[in-house]
Amino acid sequence: MFTIDAHLDLSMNALEWNRDLRKPVAEINLREKDMDDKPDRGKATVSLPELRKGNIGLVVATQIARFVDKDNPLPGWHSPEQAWAQTQGQLAWYKAMEEEGEMVQIKDLESLEKHLHLWLNELPFGPKPIGYILSLEGADSLVNLSYLEKAYDYGLRALGPAHYGPGRYANGTDATGKMGPKGLELLREMERLNIILDATHLCDDAFWQAMDHFHGSVWASHNNCRTLVNHNRQFSDDQLRHLIERDAVIGGAMDAWMMVPNWERGKSNPKEMECNLEKLIDHLDHICQLSGNADHIGIGSDLDGAFGKEQCPFDLDTIADLQKIPSLLSKRGYSSRDIEKVMFGNWLRFLRKAWKSDSRE
């Protein structure tokens, strides 16, 4: 079944992990078999051929570069200008993949519908390009707000103001506090440009402030349920209900510590913790119970988000195994129409609605 994945860190893997994502996952892992600089070496699950194998024809693909001040222990860049330069390197990788015919940027209704026609109606005479919608995960790299329009001009269509910790525009996971004047100005500029607000990593204070001040389109590209895994990285039921009221879509994430409670990083393993794709269905189903329908869930796997087989569902070997999800949903009683909504339909409905209202497109 055609599938949309609303959160992949492809360029980060290509540049910082030094992976040639044009290669099969098995080949990437073989090259890394003697490397130990990162926990997921030799355990990758994502590459462009595996996306094609899994019929994942459209992804939301990130740029990401955090600014860290002197007292911030998180990894990141020591100035916004350095962070901006990092995102531009990531952009250059996406453009290089376009030149090779591996990917194609989707940034408006016309390119979206053309890409869907290619994947759904045209014969596969050769490898079809993976469509990507460009998203910025954390706004730290925007040196000032004039950079947001520069980013829009090269195709940025979604933005999460924060990632982990305190940010220049908003506070994110594991932090507290509201957005402040710069963050609110960012939201106004995003609304003017019709850039989608990705609420995923906003801390609770910033989340509710953003919901009060931003009147554009909102989604949560990769997030699970706090009721099932009690951590501020997940959304509470009140937050989920509010997103549902805003006609948002929430993408289920597949980082094991977000899927099952009591995960200990570096110690737990998916098999022992019984972390399989059924646990993802638990989170998706919880959101459906809150909404009373299947109109607000999708996939936002984050499967290349600095983890691999050591920290993802044990019954998933590569991202192509997202095709196991339809049968799991069917076993829970989901209709074929609702399964299509989860795999691609809800994201498409969201994008068509968000971009239809944009007079610049």
Side-chain angles (χ1 to χ4, degrees):
M1 182 180 294
F2 181 77
T3 301
I4 296 175
D5 190 329
H7 190 82
L8 288 176
D9 295 306
L10 295 172
S11 63
M12 182 185 76
N13 269 249
L15 299 187
E16 296 184 49
W17 269 246
N18 195 14
R19 288 170 170 165
D20 185 351
L21 297 182
R22 297 171 299 176
K23 305 293 186 184
V25 160
E27 188 172 331
I28 292 170
N29 287 334
L30 181 62
R31 188 164 188 172
E32 295 181 358
K33 66 183 178 65
D34 296 321
M35 300 172 67
D36 60 4
D37 60 315
K38 298 180 185 294
D40 61 328
R41 284 299 186 196
K43 305 180 184 72
T45 62
V46 178
S47 73
L48 297 173
E50 292 298 327
L51 288 171
R52 294 188 184 96
K53 182 179 176 182
N55 209 25
I56 304 159
L58 180 61
V59 302
V60 179
T62 66
Q63 297 171 288
I64 181 170
R66 181 191 295 112
F67 164 72
V68 291
D69 218 337
K70 295 184 291 293
D71 57 349
N72 188 338
L74 293 170
W77 302 100
H78 293 179
S79 73
E81 291 80 4
Q82 288 169 273
W84 171 260
Q86 176 72 1
T87 66
Q88 298 314 288
Q90 295 166 353
L91 176 65
W93 179 80
Y94 289 118
K95 294 302 181 183
M97 292 301 98
E98 289 189 63
E99 290 289 331
E100 293 295 312
E102 294 279 352
M103 301 183 75
V104 61
Q105 190 177 48
I106 308 301
K107 57 184 180 181
D108 52 29
L109 276 178
E110 181 181 1
S111 57
L112 175 65
E113 301 299 348
K114 180 180 178 181
H115 186 67
L116 290 174
H117 188 272
L118 170 67
W119 271 80
L120 298 177
N121 300 114
E122 295 187 19
L123 293 174
F125 292 113
K128 294 180 180 179
I130 303 299
Y132 75 98
I133 298 166
L134 197 61
S135 179
L136 181 61
E137 190 170 21
D140 287 0
S141 60
L142 300 175
V143 178
N144 57 55
L145 283 183
S146 71
Y147 282 69
L148 183 61
E149 189 153 10
K150 294 178 185 179
Y152 179 87
D153 288 342
Y154 64 62
L156 186 73
R157 292 296 181 267
L159 189 155
H163 191 225
Y164 277 81
R168 297 179 61 235
Y169 294 92
N171 293 300
T173 302
D174 291 333
T176 58
K178 295 185 177 180
M179 298 183 72
K182 284 178 61 177
L184 296 180
E185 191 177 353
L186 172 68
L187 294 180
R188 288 193 291 272
E189 186 68 357
M190 288 173 61
E191 191 170 335
R192 182 182 75 82
L193 293 168
N194 197 30
I195 292 174
I196 297 161
L197 171 62
D198 189 346
T200 295
H201 275 283
L202 290 171
C203 75
D204 289 0
D205 297 326
F207 174 92
W208 289 112
Q209 187 185 30
M211 295 303 105
D212 286 341
H213 286 82
F214 184 78
H215 304 100
S217 301
V218 181
W219 69 22
S221 63
H222 57 304
N223 212 301
N224 292 344
C225 306
R226 195 176 299 181
T227 293
L228 302 182
V229 178
N230 187 17
H231 188 278
N232 69 79
R233 171 65 178 83
Q234 330 285 2
F235 282 142
S236 70
D237 286 358
D238 284 344
Q239 289 171 308
L240 292 169
R241 289 190 187 97
H242 185 84
L243 289 170
I244 290 164
E245 290 172 4
R246 294 284 294 260
D247 201 25
V249 180
I250 299 104
M254 300 183 199
D255 194 341
W257 81 269
M258 296 173 58
M259 298 175 69
V260 295
N262 304 314
W263 181 276
E264 293 186 64
R265 297 195 190 200
K267 296 181 180 179
S268 300
N269 75 65
K271 193 77 173 179
E272 291 176 355
M273 297 297 290
E274 299 181 353
C275 180
N276 57 12
L277 287 168
E278 290 280 7
K279 297 298 190 294
L280 173 70
I281 307 302
D282 290 342
H283 286 271
L284 297 178
D285 188 68
H286 181 76
I287 296 169
C288 290
Q289 300 311 312
L290 294 175
S291 63
N293 54 53
D295 295 346
H296 301 281
I297 56 171
I299 297 169
S301 73
D302 199 21
L303 279 170
D304 54 358
F307 66 94
K309 282 286 294 174
E310 82 290 352
Q311 197 169 299
C312 76
F314 67 76
D315 51 349
L316 184 145
D317 187 48
T318 77
I319 196 167
D321 288 327
L322 294 185
Q323 293 304 328
K324 294 180 177 180
I325 292 174
S327 65
L328 296 176
L329 289 167
S330 180
K331 290 177 183 176
R332 298 283 186 106
Y334 284 76
S335 68
S336 58
R337 182 182 178 191
D338 283 342
I339 292 168
E340 288 185 353
K341 290 179 182 179
V342 177
M343 301 304 288
F344 67 91
N346 288 334
W347 292 122
L348 284 185
R349 185 194 77 244
F350 181 100
L351 288 166
R352 285 166 170 157
K353 179 181 177 183
W355 288 347
K356 183 178 181 180
S357 63
D358 191 345
S359 61
R360 286 176 301 277
E361 302 302 348

